[in-house]
């Protein structure tokens, strides 16, 4: 786990970078058993078409550049691509948008990902406090974190009881527990993710500054969860 993650981190540092693109961040997370979609990095449009056929349409395209961390702002994401013809068109569009947003952006490739079914959105984040060290943040994603700031923190490492307490402490807990007749979310999957993130950060604390898994789609009880987007900043 640690060795595999460190290999990726050291390759990024050797390139003079402090931020991992989404593809690299997800490879680090995958090395610790965290749930990430089956995705592939395409260097050419022909590779992207090949990967899309392997994954099955509809797919998502995400342009990977160390200089473009906020992909939505730069409009370098294309969703619900249904066939080869649309993929070629979107491939050109996101590259043109990248040039307009950052003409000097280095493009590492385009991530070809399956179109995931929606779930309840959560966020798991990491910050480093100069006095107490790394802390893990948990909350509901989307509007709940952007406007309501409905999140809770614990110093790493955490135990299973801490993860359960964090989940129950947020105001939006009823949404996960199953409000208005909805089925409960897969809380065990959330706890498992938080414990794996805690282990990852405890192992790599000398390298990590910030990390955001946002959004994470959580499905109904017994159906698991999936990390949609990830960002890692190194020290």
């Amino acid at each position: 786990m640690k060795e595999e993650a460190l290999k990726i981190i050291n390759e990024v540092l050797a390139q003079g970078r402090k931020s991992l693109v989404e593809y690299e961040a997800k490879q680090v997370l995958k090395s610790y058993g965290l749930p990430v979609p089956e995705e592939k990095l395409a260097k050419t449009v022909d590779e992207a078409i090949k990967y899309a056929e392997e994954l099955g349409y509809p797919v998502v395209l995400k342009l990977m550049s160390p200089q473009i961390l906020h992909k939505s702002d730069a409009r370098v994401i294309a969703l619900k691509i249904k066939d080869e013809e649309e993929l070629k068109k979107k491939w050109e569009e996101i590259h043109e948008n990248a040039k307009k947003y950052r003409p000097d952006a280095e493009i590492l490739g385009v991530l070809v990902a399956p179109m995931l079914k929606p779930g309840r959105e959560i966020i798991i984040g990491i910050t480093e406090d100069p006095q107490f060290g790394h802390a893990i943040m948990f909350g509901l994603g989307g509007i709940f974190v952007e406007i309501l700031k409905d999140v809770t923190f614990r110093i790493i490492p955490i135990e299973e009881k801490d993860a359960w307490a964090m989940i129950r402490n947020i105001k939006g807990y009823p949404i996960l527990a199953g409000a208005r007749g909805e089925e409960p979310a897969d809380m065990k999957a959330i706890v498992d993710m938080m414990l794996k993130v805690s282990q990852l950060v405890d192992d790599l604390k000398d390298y990590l500054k910030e990390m955001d898994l946002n959004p994470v789609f959580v499905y109904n009880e017994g159906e698991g969860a999936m990390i949609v987007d990830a960002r890692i900043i190194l020290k």
Side-chain angles (χ1 to χ4, degrees):
M1 295 187 294
K2 182 178 179 180
E3 290 74 19
E4 193 174 341
L6 269 180
K7 182 181 176 185
I8 298 166
I9 288 171
N10 283 326
E11 286 175 356
V12 171
L13 290 172
Q15 295 172 26
R17 291 193 277 130
K18 292 290 187 182
S19 60
L20 279 67
V21 298
E22 180 183 339
Y23 177 72
E24 295 163 337
K26 284 181 171 174
Q27 294 304 303
V28 170
L29 299 170
K30 187 178 180 181
S31 71
Y32 274 78
L34 284 147
V36 298
E38 184 182 351
E39 301 172 330
K40 297 188 177 182
L41 188 66
K43 301 287 188 181
T44 67
V45 68
D46 288 337
E47 277 188 356
I49 292 168
K50 175 175 176 284
Y51 295 154
E53 288 172 350
E54 290 173 359
L55 292 170
Y57 290 98
V59 296
V60 177
L61 296 184
K62 300 179 182 179
L63 186 139
M64 297 288 106
S65 168
Q67 289 79 36
I68 304 177
L69 295 182
H70 299 288
K71 295 183 286 295
S72 296
D73 293 348
R75 300 195 301 150
V76 294
I77 300 177
L79 305 175
K80 299 179 181 178
I81 296 171
K82 62 181 184 303
D83 56 30
E84 180 179 328
E85 184 179 353
E86 187 177 8
L87 187 148
K88 289 179 180 176
K89 180 182 174 184
K90 294 298 182 183
W91 176 278
E92 294 298 327
E93 280 185 11
I94 61 176
H95 280 81
E96 288 173 7
N97 290 340
K99 286 178 185 174
K100 291 176 185 172
Y101 187 78
R102 279 289 299 263
D104 62 336
E106 178 190 6
I107 297 172
L108 302 181
V110 173
L111 201 59
V112 183
M115 191 73 206
L116 299 174
K117 69 173 183 177
R120 274 165 276 194
E121 295 185 13
I122 63 166
I123 180 172
I124 297 175
I126 297 296
T127 59
E128 185 180 20
D129 182 272
Q131 185 173 358
F132 298 106
H134 287 87
I136 184 170
M137 176 189 75
F138 170 78
L140 295 183
I143 189 172
F144 294 97
V145 66
E146 293 172 5
I147 298 177
L148 302 180
K149 310 295 183 189
D150 185 15
V151 295
T152 182
F153 293 85
R154 290 285 190 288
I155 297 298
I156 283 176
I158 62 169
E159 299 179 358
E160 183 173 342
K161 63 180 181 181
D162 301 312
W164 280 107
M166 290 177 73
I167 294 170
R168 292 177 177 128
N169 281 350
I170 62 171
K171 295 173 184 174
Y173 172 69
I175 294 173
L176 296 174
R180 298 193 172 185
E182 280 196 356
E183 290 189 41
D186 197 332
M187 239 85 83
K188 289 182 180 177
I190 301 174
V191 169
D192 183 63
M193 289 182 64
M194 293 171 71
L195 293 177
K196 285 175 177 171
V197 168
S198 175
Q199 181 66 57
L200 185 158
V201 178
D202 200 34
D203 285 350
L204 304 173
K205 54 182 173 289
D206 292 337
Y207 297 87
L208 301 182
K209 181 179 180 183
E210 298 174 17
M211 182 164 74
D212 279 322
L213 315 183
N214 182 35
V216 177
F217 286 170
V218 183
Y219 301 111
N220 290 340
E221 196 170 59
E223 297 179 6
M226 193 63 72
I227 298 166
V228 180
D229 201 352
R231 183 177 69 97
I232 292 178
I233 306 295
L234 304 175
K235 292 184 180 179

